[in-house]
Amino acid sequence: MALSKRGRERAIDYWPGFVDALSTLLLVFTFLLSVFVIAQFFLTQEITGKENVLNRLTAQIKQLSELLSLERANSGSLEDQMAALRASLKSAESERDRLRQGAEGGDKTLSTQLENERDLNQRAASQIEILNRQIAALRRQLAAIQEALDASDQRNKESQAKIADLGARLNVALAQKVQELARYRSDFFGRLRGILGNRPGIRVVGDRFVFQSEILFDSGSAALKVDGQPELDKLASALLDLEKQIPPEIAWVLRVDGHTDVRPITSPQFPSNWELSAARAISVVQYLVSRGVQPRRLVAAGFGEYQPLDTAPTEDAFRRNRRIELKLTER
């Protein structure tokens, strides 16, 4: 029975266990293969990425190399610039040291100048204060002057009103005097007409009494003719009566005007018609004075040939233009 047991024990089948172990080993191998494949895939991807990164790095290294070449090319210029800057810096430092020394030496001078400036400012401030006071005083004076001017303007306005009133009154008085003188003139000429009659060569032209020159003077002469003096005696008598009639406040004169014709005169005594006409008027005035007429009532004027009555070139026109005119007028 013991042998039987041992025989049965030896007869145990190991193949299924082997198969199981082999299957398990195959599964493990398959798993490991899958892991390897997956790892190979990721490794390939990683290697591809690394290559791309390496390519980019290579390009960047190339660019950096180019930039380094440019920098090396510019380094010489930069070194020159640096040398120039060092030289400028050295010169600036030397100038700074010199200025420091000058500033240290000029501190006293600057202080003196500042002190002088302070003194000048103080004096200027004092002068400005004085000027301000003077300006204030001037303003007060100007205000007083303006008040005086305003008062003066008011007085001027009042004076102007009075002057205007006086002027109006004066104009009225003058108009009255003129009218009064016109009345006396009319009376005087009326009396002369009555005294002198209708003698040829004596006529009235407007407001003038006209004597033809031939009645009083010879040709080219300013001496009164004897036969013309009686006519002037009548004129003097009329003037003396007129002086008694016209009030003394009326300023009147008898103007004696001498006129010639256009024909020129050339004599040693009278170089021109102007001298002849003025001399004849003066002769009439002097004769009237000799007969008692006051000189202040007489005026002599010479017009030569420049105020003709008739411009015709005839003997009759020449005769009419040679004349002595008498006009009673204001002085």
Side-chain angles (χ1 to χ4, degrees), residues 185-199 202-209 238:
R185 181 190 299 119
S186 178
D187 294 342
F188 174 68
F189 283 157
R191 184 171 181 181
L192 279 181
R193 288 191 190 94
I195 293 173
L196 298 175
N198 294 323
R199 179 176 176 178
I202 300 176
R203 66 187 187 279
V204 177
V205 179
D207 60 348
R208 292 171 174 82
F209 218 90

Side-chain angles (χ1 to χ4, degrees), residues 42-60:
F42 282 109
L43 181 61
T44 302
Q45 292 294 325
E46 183 68 19
I47 290 170
T48 302
K50 294 293 185 181
E51 288 178 354
N52 292 333
V53 171
L54 183 61
N55 291 331
R56 288 196 299 272
L57 290 174
T58 302
Q60 289 179 358

Side-chain angles (χ1 to χ4, degrees), residues 254-260 273-285 298-304 307 323-326:
L254 181 70
R255 199 178 77 191
V256 181
D257 299 336
H259 298 269
T260 67
N273 285 324
W274 237 331
E275 281 86 356
L276 176 60
S277 63
R280 286 178 172 178
I282 292 171
S283 294
V284 173
V285 166
L298 297 170
V299 176
F303 290 87
Q307 300 292 331
R323 65 197 188 276
I324 295 293
E325 291 185 352
L326 306 175

Side-chain angles (χ1 to χ4, degrees), residues 164 166-176:
L166 290 174
R169 293 180 183 179
L170 181 60
N171 289 332
V172 172
L174 288 175
Q176 292 175 352

